[in-house]
Amino acid sequence: MENNTTPEHVHVLIIGSGPAGYTAAIYAARANLKPVLYQGIQPGGQLTITTEVENYPGYPEGIQGPEMMVDFEKQASRMGADIRYGMATKVDFSSQPYTVEIDEEKTITADAIIIATGASAKWLGLPSEQRLNGSGVSACAVCDGFFFRGKEAAIVGAGDTAAEEALYLSKICSNVHMLVRRHEMRASKVMQDRVLKTSNIMVYWNTETLEVTGENKVDGVRILNTQTKEEKVIPVSAFFVAIGHQPNSGIFAGQLDMDEQGYIKTIPGTTKTSVEGVFACGDVQDKNYRQAVTAAGSGCMAALDAERYLSAKGH
């Protein structure tokens, strides 16, 4: 990392915002670890592209995702966390203190690092999907299915998550139209059987989504059967994309142990990574739950793990 300026040294560096990063900052600041947090490309994380959050405990009326993240950030600041704009662009965990480059220009060294870079939903890449995102288009059935009680919904995907979300929606929505690109699903046999046995889930094989229709909110989805070349529009109020998530872990490749999908591996029951003094929390290491409340919980764990690590080190 070529750099003319002297690196800034910090005690605890938190990379990423969102419920995990901000909660880690709250706990680390209260423990007097003087954390510095860089918010990354999407301050507040995935919740900033969610409208209503109704499943986070403590908000009986629900709260807007972006508003909730502003609250988290304010609380972390009030506790004394140093919250900054900027994105980690390169890391070196080969020797201590660890080195992190911010925005390809500034170098920071840190005694302990908490990674909370999250994950991003994969999208189909349709302009209509982007335009109606948050107005009936969503990548999280568990988060948003509730808003479409008794209505028709479509879901695209063929893996276990898609099958799980289709089953979840089938209990809430009148009908679920499941769009599968190939002539078979990738989901496990038991999940497929459950989907096929559910009377209000209609599976469309060999189906490609051409467009999500609707002016200001979703009113249908235009699909193409790739075998028969037949096009049709299914009237739906919601369009869920369940084709997977991508953990934002690219800059840690080769530095930390990851699974084949790029999720950072942590020692079960902790936030410890394969490198001592580097901790990972939230969606970058959790492909199972991916909820705001579980991310916040793991952010708390990361701060406590970091605090114990540093006091054992005598920092």
Side-chain angles (χ1 to χ4, degrees):
M1 291 179 198
E2 297 296 308
N3 225 311
N4 313 329
T5 53
T6 324
E8 177 189 1
H9 183 73
V10 306
H11 205 31
V12 173
L13 178 66
I14 301 170
I15 305 173
S17 38
Y22 288 140
T23 304
I26 290 166
Y27 274 80
R30 283 175 61 89
N32 213 14
L33 299 178
K34 304 188 171 44
V36 169
L37 179 151
Y38 276 95
Q39 292 181 316
I41 199 160
Q42 189 181 43
Q46 293 184 90
L47 275 181
T48 55
I49 55 168
T50 313
T51 44
E52 196 78 25
V53 179
E54 291 201 324
N55 52 12
Y56 199 94
Y59 292 98
E61 304 301 318
I63 184 167
Q64 298 288 309
E67 198 188 325
M68 184 185 189
M69 286 302 93
V70 169
D71 284 348
F72 272 50
E73 185 192 339
K74 279 186 188 154
Q75 191 172 352
S77 289
R78 191 173 73 84
M79 296 298 162
D82 179 349
I83 293 174
R84 305 176 181 178
Y85 289 108
M87 184 171 169
T89 40
K90 203 167 166 193
V91 300
D92 182 357
F93 297 158
S94 59
S95 62
Q96 291 177 312
Y98 302 126
T99 310
V100 178
E101 179 191 81
I102 304 291
D103 296 331
E104 294 178 357
E105 50 182 36
K106 182 178 169 62
T107 303
I108 288 198
T109 59
D111 298 321
I113 289 179
I114 294 173
I115 297 167
T117 47
S120 306
K122 291 180 188 165
W123 298 96
L124 297 172
L126 305 170
S128 55
E129 167 194 60
Q130 242 180 326
R131 187 172 59 80
L132 292 163
N133 192 346
S135 306
V137 171
S138 162
C140 182
V142 177
C143 316
D144 300 327
F146 181 78
F147 302 113
F148 303 99
R149 285 188 305 279
K151 299 196 166 127
E152 305 264 330
I155 182 163
V156 60
D160 274 344
T161 305
E164 230 166 81
E165 299 213 324
L167 289 161
Y168 177 84
L169 291 169
S170 72
K171 299 183 179 76
I172 299 169
C173 301
S174 55
N175 285 303
V176 179
H177 305 270
M178 188 172 186
L179 315 175
V180 177
R181 188 181 271 159
R182 293 170 36 227
H183 62 286
E184 58 184 5
M185 284 190 211
R186 287 193 323 275
S188 58
K189 190 79 180 73
V190 55
M191 291 304 285
Q192 290 193 45
D193 288 347
R194 273 188 216 157
V195 165
L196 298 171
K197 279 197 187 106
T198 306
S199 59
N200 65 337
I201 300 179
M202 273 67 74
V203 179
Y204 299 71
W205 306 103
N206 303 305
T207 296
E208 208 166 297
T209 306
L210 299 176
E211 183 194 14
V212 186
T213 62
E215 199 44 53
N216 302 315
K217 59 184 207 300
V218 173
D219 65 18
V221 56
R222 197 157 56 83
I223 58 170
L224 168 72
N225 182 310
T226 50
Q227 303 281 273
T228 64
K229 301 294 176 225
E230 184 202 353
E231 269 189 42
K232 69 172 182 181
V233 173
I234 312 168
V236 293
S237 302
F239 180 74
F240 292 97
V241 182
I243 56 173
H245 281 75
Q246 189 62 46
N248 302 322
S249 62
I251 61 164
F252 310 111
Q255 306 264 348
L256 298 174
D257 285 355
M258 299 181 189
D259 72 7
E260 56 293 343
Q261 289 161 288
Y263 286 91
I264 296 173
K265 287 185 176 172
T266 48
I267 296 167
T270 76
T271 58
K272 296 172 183 172
T273 67
S274 55
V275 172
E276 176 186 67
V278 177
F279 307 90
C281 53
D283 287 14
V284 74
Q285 54 82 54
D286 168 29
K287 58 180 168 193
N288 268 332
Y289 300 107
R290 294 202 299 261
Q291 298 299 304
V293 69
T294 48
S298 74
C300 158
M301 290 164 64
L304 296 176
D305 286 345
E307 184 192 1
R308 284 172 195 152
Y309 163 77
L310 290 166
S311 62
K313 275 270 190 246
H315 279 301

